[in-house]
């Protein structure tokens, strides 16, 4: 997730301190990975340098936590462009898994085992997400469902590959 | 403690070898997903371990009793007292109301109508279908029908619930709801569930999975 864009989006609601921003981010997006303060301030200084945010007053005392930030017009345009641009549909795991299967076949190891172990790990994660969903609110459910559908897609690929191993073995053996 | 143990099951239909040495173990109260591609023998395995279909060879043990050497009568008695069933399509009796359907297994065991219907109502409430108690199955939605079928399967408080693709005819949202209610109800009563499914999101409600491939079941222990 692009942290810069997320922070910009949060600033559209009004100016905030860095600490405030971190809290808002963690609450909405940080379920699994809360932001580190350093990340917040380095991101903010980058946004500042690029003119996407501006300082909006400093309270008495010093330290970055006294500074308030506001989104600029350029920042708003940037958020709009980000929201309007699709994410690259990344086939992130398949490359690794495909390589493992091919290497197993090449080296005379069991490719079925590779697939089984992966399926089991995928299902384990899916169980955990399913449990978390049962205890969570609607936001948790939607976030977990997103992950569940993606893991399911991986699993379907694993099943299909398992069903085609003989054919793949023949091709790899050529 | 193992509740249900199947060993080296073989079953053929003419030239089709549906099971070729399948085996599995179900412990009391656990939810086990039986997964595998279509035609791999999942339903045949379920029918054999539930005493619906006699295998050609192999042994099925339930507690200290051997299902595979019981008479048909003993087996159907055991199914009625200890097992519950949910299939892809509810298999409810169309002429009866939903409440009468859920009460039916208790009535067949000789329970008085009022007591049976009171228990049935409780189960329908747990599965959030008490609203359709007086409707006939044909008047309910698919998701409601499945939840009525689950209430009927659980009303006798069976030790094992056999569910064969219970969400197969439902959309994602209704499927989720059915799985959530089925598994929470089973955990509440301590019933084991044998859940046949080819869908990973459905299998994710289980404690562990068994994969059937080419008529052989492969037990995969899930380490939490
Ligand atoms: N009653 C039957 N008569 C003939 N063939 C059957 C019968 N039941 C199952 N089969 C065959 O046995 C194999 C396994 O079927 P089944 O257990 O239904 O698989 P699954 O439930 O995994 O899809 C398939 O090839 C199927 O066509
Ligand atoms: Mg089947």
């Amino acid at each position: 997730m692009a942290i810069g864009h997320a922070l910009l989006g949060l600033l559209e609601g009004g100016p905030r301190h860095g600490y405030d921003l971190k809290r808002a981010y963690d609450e909405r997006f940080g379920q699994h990975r809360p932001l580190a303060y350093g990340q917040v301030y380095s991101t903010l200084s980058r946004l500042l340098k690029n003119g996407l945010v501006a300082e909006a007053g400093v309270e008495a005392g010093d330290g970055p936590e006294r500074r308030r930030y506001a989104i600029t017009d350029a920042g708003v345009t940037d958020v709009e462009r980000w929201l309007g641009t699709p994410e690259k549909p990344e086939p992130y795991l398949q490359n690794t898994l495909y390589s493992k299967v091919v290497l197993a076949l090449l080296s005379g190891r069991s490719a079925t085992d590779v697939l089984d172990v992966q399926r089991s790990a995928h299902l384990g994660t899916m169980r955990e997400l399913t449990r978390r969903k049962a205890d969570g609110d609607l936001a948790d459910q939607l976030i977990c469902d997103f992950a569940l559908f993606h893991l399911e897609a991986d699993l379907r690929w694993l099943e299909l590959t398992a069903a085609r191993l003989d054919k793949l073995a023949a091709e790899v053996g050529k | 403690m193992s509740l249900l143990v199947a060993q080296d099951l073989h079953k053929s239909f003419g030239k089709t070898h549906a099971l070729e040495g399948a085996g599995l173990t179900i412990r009391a109260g656990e939810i086990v997903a039986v997964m595998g591609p279509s035609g791999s023998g999942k339903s045949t395995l379920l029918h054999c371990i539930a005493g619906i279909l006699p295998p050609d060879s192999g042994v099925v043990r339930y507690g200290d009793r051997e299902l595979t050497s019981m008479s048909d009568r003993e087996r159907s008695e055991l199914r009625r007292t200890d097992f519950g069933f949910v299939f892809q399509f509810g298999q409810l009796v169309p002429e009866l109301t939903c409440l009468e359907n859920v009460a039916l297994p208790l009535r067949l065991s000789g329970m008085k109508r009022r007591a049976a219907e009171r228990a049935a109502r409780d189960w329908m409430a747990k599965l959030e279908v008490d609203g359709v108690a007086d409707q006939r199955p044909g008047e309910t939605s698919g998701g409601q029908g499945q939840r009525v079928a689950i209430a009927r399967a659980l009303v006798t408080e069976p030790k094992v619930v056999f569910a064969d693709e219970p969400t197969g005819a439902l959309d994602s949202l209704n499927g989720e709801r059915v799985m959530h209610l089925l598994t929470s109800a089973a955990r509440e009563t301590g019933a084991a569930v044998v859940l046949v499914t080819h869908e990973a999101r459905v299998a994710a409600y289980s404690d562990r999975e068994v994969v059937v491939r080419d008529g052989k079941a492969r037990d995969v222990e899930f380490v939490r």
Side-chain angles (χ1 to χ4, degrees):
Chain A
M1 158 103 115
I3 296 166
H5 285 120
L7 296 187
L8 280 177
L10 289 172
L11 284 174
E12 286 195 296
R16 291 173 189 262
H17 296 101
Y19 175 70
D20 225 21
L21 260 180
K22 174 196 153 42
R23 265 211 327 229
Y25 179 97
D26 288 350
E27 196 183 313
R28 296 222 175 248
F29 310 118
Q31 279 91 343
H32 313 306
R33 242 187 291 167
L35 278 185
Y37 288 109
Q39 247 176 322
V40 177
Y41 293 114
S42 64
T43 306
L44 279 171
S45 69
R46 181 171 52 79
L47 295 174
L48 198 61
K49 201 177 75 199
N50 294 339
L52 303 178
V53 301
E55 277 182 25
V58 184
E59 280 173 21
D62 48 25
E65 52 283 310
R66 304 285 174 173
R67 222 168 279 156
R68 277 152 60 89
Y69 298 88
I71 190 167
T72 62
D73 286 348
V76 173
T77 308
D78 199 59
V79 171
E80 254 161 34
R81 182 158 6 103
W82 176 59
L83 291 178
T85 311
E87 296 299 311
K88 192 170 165 210
E90 262 179 314
Y92 64 108
L93 256 186
Q94 278 79 345
N95 279 335
T96 316
L97 289 179
Y98 176 77
S99 313
K100 281 186 170 179
V101 168
V102 170
L103 282 170
L105 291 173
L106 276 175
S107 64
R109 294 191 178 91
S110 165
T112 305
D113 285 354
V114 170
L115 294 171
D116 275 351
V117 161
Q118 190 63 49
R119 193 206 42 248
S120 191
H122 264 61
L123 258 179
T125 306
M126 290 180 76
R127 280 192 185 95
E128 209 171 284
L129 289 163
T130 302
R131 271 197 296 269
R132 195 185 305 162
K133 211 166 74 164
D135 308 327
D137 57 13
L138 185 58
D140 291 328
Q141 286 174 24
L142 292 175
I143 288 166
C144 289
D145 274 332
F146 187 84
L148 280 165
F149 278 110
H150 279 75
L151 290 167
E152 184 186 40
D154 285 353
L155 271 171
R156 290 172 70 170
W157 180 86
L158 291 171
E159 287 304 329
L160 197 68
T161 305
R164 287 173 169 170
L165 272 182
D166 289 346
K167 228 174 148 184
L168 183 61
E171 301 240 327
V172 166
K174 267 186 211 159
Chain B
M1 191 193 66
S2 18
L3 182 64
L4 191 61
V5 179
Q7 282 168 338
D8 203 21
L9 299 180
H10 288 257
K11 179 76 189 175
S12 298
F13 301 100
K15 287 207 181 76
T16 308
H17 302 300
L19 295 182
E20 296 186 276
L24 89 173
T25 300
I26 309 290
R27 288 181 285 267
E30 70 173 346
I31 300 177
V32 178
V34 177
M35 305 184 69
S38 154
S40 58
K42 303 183 295 295
S43 295
T44 306
L45 179 61
L46 180 129
H47 292 152
C48 286
I49 63 175
I52 296 174
L53 191 69
D56 299 336
S57 66
V59 181
V60 179
R61 253 183 240 103
Y62 173 70
D64 52 7
R65 303 160 72 187
E66 200 176 307
L67 238 81
T68 28
S69 58
M70 285 181 186
S71 68
D72 286 353
R73 242 188 97 155
E74 286 174 306
R75 261 204 311 269
S76 48
E77 172 70 12
L78 179 69
R79 284 203 305 269
R80 198 165 55 70
T81 56
D82 286 43
F83 297 168
F85 294 91
V86 185
F87 297 100
Q88 180 166 357
F89 299 100
Q91 303 206 324
L92 299 166
V93 182
E95 293 81 11
L96 301 180
T97 65
C98 290
L99 181 70
E100 288 164 342
N101 265 285
V102 176
L104 190 59
L106 296 175
R107 299 282 288 138
L108 291 175
S109 308
M111 193 185 277
K112 292 252 167 47
R113 180 173 166 153
R114 281 183 102 192
E117 294 197 345
R118 197 176 320 122
R121 250 180 225 289
D122 286 348
W123 274 104
M124 292 185 81
K126 274 185 200 151
L127 287 148
E128 298 169 10
V129 276
D130 36 337
V132 300
D134 299 324
Q135 292 176 25
R136 285 177 214 290
E139 297 163 334
T140 65
S141 71
Q144 287 169 336
Q146 270 318 56
R147 282 183 277 142
V148 171
I150 292 168
R152 188 187 54 179
L154 289 166
V155 76
T156 56
E157 311 215 344
K159 295 278 190 298
V160 191
V161 176
F162 296 93
D164 195 348
E165 307 274 5
T167 62
L170 304 179
D171 60 44
S172 301
L173 202 56
N174 274 300
E176 301 253 329
R177 190 140 174 237
V178 159
M179 283 315 300
H180 177 70
L181 291 167
L182 169 62
T183 49
S184 351
R187 291 204 197 280
E188 196 184 309
T189 59
V193 179
V194 182
L195 169 68
V196 166
T197 182
H198 65 278
E199 282 184 81
R201 271 179 313 113
V202 173
Y205 284 86
S206 68
D207 299 319
R208 66 183 176 97
E209 74 273 14
V210 169
V211 181
V212 182
R213 210 165 272 148
D214 303 330
K216 291 189 187 72
R218 193 166 167 152
D219 238 314
V220 180
E221 296 291 331
F222 175 58
V223 187
R224 269 196 238 212

